Each structure stands twice: as C-alpha cells, then as structure tokens.
Amino acid sequence: MNPVRVAIFASGTGSNAMALINKAKELPNSSLTIEFVLSDKLNAPVLEKAKNAGVRTYLIEKKQTREQHEAEILGVLREHHVDWVLLAGYMRLVSGSFLKQLSQWHDGHSQVVNIHPSLLPEYPGKDSIARAHTDKAEKTGVTIHLVDEGMDTGSILLQEALFLNPHHPLQTWAEEIHRLEHKMYTRFLQDLAFKKHPTNHFQETY
Ligand code: GAR
C-alpha cells in the first residue's frame, strides 16, 4: 500500500506539529507517514521536539531570494515524494509558482493546507487570538483551509466555533483555541490516512 506522505512546516513552538506527529503514531502502519518537519527558523523549538520524537527535520532558512528559498524546499518535497504539506504555525507566505509546482505533482490538485486560530476571514495574520481577546469577540474558533498566495485567504475546508468568556484571561483563550486546533488537525490527518479525504499521490511530471 502506498502511504499518504505528509510534510509539516512550522516556524515556532510546534504544538500543532507535535499533535500531528503523535496522532500519526496511532494510525495503522503504512497508511500515512510524517516524512519530515521543516522550519524556516533556526531556533524554532519545533525542530528539537520533532527530532526527539524520531521525526526527520530540515532547517531551511531564507538566506537569499524567495525563489531560491522555495526551490530548496521543493527539492526536499520532491526527494520525499510528499503528497500533502500541512502548515502548522509556518509564518511565511508561499508563492503562486511554489503552489503551482506542487499541484503539478498532484495531478492538478491543491494539497497544501493551513490551520489558523480564528474564524476566517476574521482575524487573519499574526496574533489572531490576542486581537480577538482584546476585542472581546463574541465568537471565535479555528479554520483549516487550502493555502493560496494570500495571508490566510484560501478556500475553507473546516471551521469550528468557540464561545469564550470575555472575562477570562488571554492565556485561557489561547489554551482553549489550541486544544480545538489539535483536535481538528489530528482529525484531518486521520481522514487523510483513512482516505475520507482523497489524496492525489505525488507523481513526477517531467
Ligand atoms: C497556531 O495557533 C497556528 O494556528 C497559528 O500559529 C500557531 C502556532 O502554534 N498559525 C497562524 O497564525 C497562521 N496564520 P504552534 O507552533 O504551537 O502549533
């Protein structure tokens, strides 16, 4: 059986990346593999955590142009025949040509996904939880969406709402939202493994 090959991109703490890694260990053998965790940030704690969990890591910092940076990343994705890229706190936009190359490898399908801690299109970008908390937003939540060139703008796949107490501290909001993120992203991973969400496997096109 051809496993679903997943790469995780993360720039920071890595709680979502670790939730995915731990979930992958519970899935039936050879249904899905986490090929690697890639970070663009030298001191990202996610690198150490993933390594300790036995997952291969790549540090690919942006040193020169975006084109060169993405070419290096595409090289690694190609080497591993990656089917899905899951962004988990990867705080960098990707280009249209990067996404186009990936979709060519996946029979024209977009298989790059992001998780975001708000009900998009509300609160895109950085510090979404803190901004919603400051606004005492009546409703918040988590979105899983396909990645396009914009900032948290791709087509929405899944969304779940949370109604948090405006009097509770930011820390409590963050914990609740992260808990929901981990639940939704691990469920998405399981759906990939069990083919509830179809995969177009990596295919070299030239
Ligand atoms: C997560 O809340 C993720 O949704 C968010 O960064 C955090 C990373 O936490 N991503 C974005 O804001 C993307 N625009 P983690 O490193 O503990 O998973």
Side-chain angles (χ1 to χ4, degrees), residues 86-197:
L86 303 188
L87 307 188
Y90 185 66
M91 302 313 253
R92 182 177 291 283
L93 295 178
V94 296
S95 72
S97 59
F98 177 84
L99 293 168
K100 191 168 163 218
Q101 175 60 82
L102 279 167
S103 81
Q104 278 174 6
W105 285 334
H106 303 127
D107 203 23
H109 292 266
S110 171
Q111 294 187 168
V112 184
V113 170
N114 181 40
I115 190 157
H116 186 78
S118 77
L119 292 176
L120 289 172
E122 285 169 28
Y123 302 105
K126 286 186 186 166
D127 305 322
S128 310
I129 301 174
R131 285 185 286 132
H133 182 259
T134 304
D135 289 354
K136 298 191 186 337
E138 190 189 316
K139 184 164 93 164
T140 177
V142 171
T143 305
I144 292 178
H145 65 95
L146 290 176
V147 171
D148 64 13
E149 286 173 85
M151 172 100 75
D152 305 316
T153 47
S155 315
I156 291 171
L157 298 175
L158 299 160
Q159 209 163 39
E160 275 191 40
L162 276 178
F163 297 85
L164 298 175
N165 187 330
H167 304 295
H168 284 173
L170 173 59
Q171 175 72 11
T172 308
W173 277 47
E175 281 166 12
E176 292 285 329
I177 291 174
H178 290 314
R179 202 189 332 272
L180 178 59
E181 285 194 305
H182 303 164
K183 187 184 95 181
M184 287 173 67
Y185 228 7
T186 56
R187 199 194 300 141
F188 181 75
L189 193 80
Q190 179 168 305
D191 286 350
L192 292 180
F194 292 158
K195 319 248 178 279
K196 273 202 198 166
H197 206 98

